[in-house]
Amino acid sequence: MDVQKFGRAIRERRCWVCGDTLGRHLAFVIGPMCAVNRTSSEPACHLDCATWSARFCPFLSRPHMVRRHDDVINESGAGTASILRNPGAAGVWVTGSYKLEKVGKAAASGYLVMMGPPSQVLWFCEGRPATRAEVLASIDSGMPLLEETLAQEVPSQRAAARAELAACRRRVEMVLPGA
């Protein structure tokens, strides 16, 4: 995972996990907060690769695991714009489209992926299908972290940003398990 591989995956439309060429359907492995704001710091994957990752990645499949931070990882250029906590649940957001948005230092690549509308979202916790309650618990515990970012908005735009975040929170309800 580095900036060059990110660029190649985007330019050549390659799976972020296996490196093979992607088809029409794009799957993003995300945490629940990424479902709220419809962003990812990583390129798309094949559905099978994304599902495998959400189920078996040690960080994503073990809610109490923490991210490893060391000089090798931190100096490698492999970074994330994501919330650094373990989300406790992982989603696979399947869509046919995305856009890149330049974000400076928010992501190691300098870009965030703005995911298109989902055709389906699969949810996992501890390697199995997640319950609605598990995904909601992750969202509820993560919302304060997104709300903190509102302080960075121009004061005259904070109310609109707060309203938009609330709308995004309501919109994500439609893609949760049992919706």
Side-chain angles (χ1 to χ4, degrees), residues 41-105:
S41 60
E42 299 179 348
C45 307
H46 297 109
L47 178 58
D48 287 345
C49 292
T51 301
W52 184 90
S53 296
R55 292 187 61 218
F56 298 111
C57 165
F59 182 75
L60 294 175
S61 65
R62 296 182 185 131
H64 300 293
M65 184 169 270
V66 295
R67 286 188 193 271
R68 189 179 93 193
H69 294 279
D70 62 30
D71 290 339
V72 173
I73 291 172
N74 294 336
E75 296 296 326
S76 71
T80 179
S82 62
I83 296 171
L84 296 179
R85 71 183 182 114
N86 187 306
V92 175
W93 184 281
V94 183
T95 184
S97 65
Y98 68 87
K99 294 187 296 187
L100 290 179
E101 184 172 308
K102 186 94 170 128
V103 292
K105 293 186 177 186

Side-chain angles (χ1 to χ4, degrees), residues 33 83 85 136-148:
M33 300 317 298
I83 296 171
R85 71 183 182 114
L136 279 171
S138 179
I139 291 171
D140 291 342
S141 66
M143 282 302 289
L145 299 171
L146 286 182
E147 290 164 352
E148 285 176 15

Side-chain angles (χ1 to χ4, degrees), residues 9-10 14-17 22 25-28 42-46 98 113:
I10 296 293
R14 294 191 174 274
C15 176
W16 189 233
V17 174
L22 291 169
H25 301 286
L26 309 168
F28 293 89
E42 299 179 348
C45 307
H46 297 109
Y98 68 87
V113 177

Side-chain angles (χ1 to χ4, degrees), residues 30-40 83 85 93 114-115 121 123 135-136 138-140 142-143 146-147 164-173 175-176:
I30 60 170
M33 300 317 298
C34 293
V36 171
N37 59 24
R38 292 189 176 195
T39 64
S40 174
I83 296 171
R85 71 183 182 114
W93 184 281
M114 310 303 288
M115 301 177 299
V121 181
W123 293 101
V135 179
L136 279 171
S138 179
I139 291 171
D140 291 342
M143 282 302 289
L146 286 182
E147 290 164 352
E164 176 63 23
L165 180 57
C168 290
R169 170 63 177 83
R170 286 188 303 275
R171 181 179 64 198
V172 79
E173 294 275 341
V175 299
L176 298 182

